[in-house]
Amino acid sequence: MWLQVSVLYLSCLVLTSQSQGDDRASLRRSNNHNGKCQYTFTVASPEESSCLGGSAGPEMEGVLSRLTLLEALVSRLVAGGEEGDSGTRVGSNSEEGLQEAYSQVTAERDQLQKHTEQLNIQLQELQKRLEELSQEAETLRQTPCQQRQTSGKVQHEGSQRPANDPAYAAYQEMKAEVTEVPASHLIPDESHNFTGCGELVSVGEPVLHRKADGITGKYGVWLQDPEPQGSQYTNRTVWRIDTVGKDVRQLFAYEDMEQFSRGFPMKVLVLPEPVESTGATLYRSSFYYQRRRSRTLIRYDLASESLASRLDLPHAGFQGQHPYSWGGYTDIDLAVDEQGLWAIYSTNKAKGAIVISQLDPESLEVRRTWQTNIRKHTVANAFMVCGRLYTVASYTAPNTTINHVFDTATGEGRAISVPLKNKYRYNSMVDYNHSQRKLYAWDNFHMVTYDIRLGRVSHGSS
Ligand code: CA
């Protein structure tokens, strides 16, 4: 009964409150944060103007729900963090791997550097030794042959052979006396207008015209025709053939020295037979060369671009039988001078001494032959000037000499010493051009010329 009275009173109170405008009580129905329907009864305090020290239920609930959400987020983040941690572990694993690989590479690099240093030291030692040997060889070459002769016995090339050895006696018979002629016996070209034939007095500094680009340019032949005739080519045309390789057939033509220096050929001729070594030459619009692995000489006509003559050089050694000191199958060296076409070579009969033959430029037949006492394998190269043969002492020594001359007019030879520079230290070809009065050389990728001076020979006192 008391309860019924109380509820009735409350109901009246609610109705009264509702009739009091702003202070009226209200009943609100809404979903809570869990989605459940919730009824909220609100009534304003008649005395308190604000909830001092109190806490608002719905706000608290809002805060709590937000906290829950935040907790959920935090736990997810923590989980993510842990995942992140494990990712970091993976990362650290791969980092460790990288570091290991890096230290391995570093160790290998260090080892390689050490190895390179060792190789460099070895290379320097070898270069030093090579230089010493070259100098030694040159000194030996410049020693007159008579000093090696002793009574009853003859010393030759460090080996002792009895004078009654028939082979050696034949060699000695062939060998001419070599006498050193002082430089004062040569009258140099004082007027600077001396254009006639004479003996070599001096060789100028090497003048660089072109450096080969590729590995095939290590050695080769380059020339100008001293007497072009009957073709579209002139004495300004430059010819070049790189002779590194087994099937050397390409002959490059350049309009002039400028185009040659720039490396722009105007034509490439393909030779009918491969070229051997660096002994080829040019004369009267024909290209002369030794056919590979043979003693066959070939004349290739530049105008018609065809094989004009082909003939074996009798008894000539080839393929390394009698090369120059450089080797490289330099058995047959063709040369041109004021007097025509020459072959410089050796035969078994001459036992390695240089033989010179003058050739018919049309047919390639031998006109006349001379034998010298110069052992071909002891000299680096040779060329002809005014019917005289000159030999180069060394192909590597930067300061070498032209150490022998043999005059075909008298059939006599002697030692001389005209300085020549192998600036690039690997001189594989030296040839004379009488129209330009220059030596043409191929020195370790570098194509150079040397001016030369000739002088009259004094035939006075000897
Ligand atoms: Ca030569």
Side-chain angles (χ1 to χ4, degrees), residues 435-450:
S435 146
Q436 305 285 338
R437 192 156 276 199
K438 286 178 200 292
L439 295 180
Y440 286 56
W442 193 301
D443 187 359
N444 206 7
F445 298 99
H446 297 80
M447 286 146 257
V448 297
T449 55
Y450 303 83

Side-chain angles (χ1 to χ4, degrees), residues 29 41 123 328:
R29 183 171 170 267
F41 176 72
L123 181 69

Side-chain angles (χ1 to χ4, degrees), residues 2-18 25 41 43:
W2 169 243
L3 183 67
Q4 279 178 340
V5 172
S6 299
V7 168
L8 186 68
Y9 173 75
L10 264 174
S11 302
C12 293
L13 197 66
V14 166
L15 289 171
T16 313
S17 298
Q18 279 175 339
F41 176 72
V43 62

Side-chain angles (χ1 to χ4, degrees), residues 8 23 70 74 100 113 138-139 154 180 191 216 247 264 273 313 321 382 411 418-420 424 430:
L8 186 68
D23 295 327
L70 276 170
V74 166
E100 205 175 313
Q113 273 177 341
E138 204 159 335
T139 314
V154 181
E180 193 98 33
S191 66
T216 56
D247 193 48
F264 300 145
E273 304 274 0
L313 182 60
Q321 282 179 290
V418 177
L420 174 84
Y424 306 99
V430 184

Side-chain angles (χ1 to χ4, degrees), residues 191-204:
S191 66
H192 292 280
N193 291 320
F194 179 76
T195 53
C197 257
E199 195 159 309
L200 186 68
V201 174
S202 66
V203 179

Side-chain angles (χ1 to χ4, degrees), residues 278-279 324 333-335 344 381-383 429-431:
T278 60
Y324 289 131
D333 190 8
L334 298 169
I344 305 160
N381 215 300
F383 54 91
M429 169 227 142
V430 184
D431 253 329

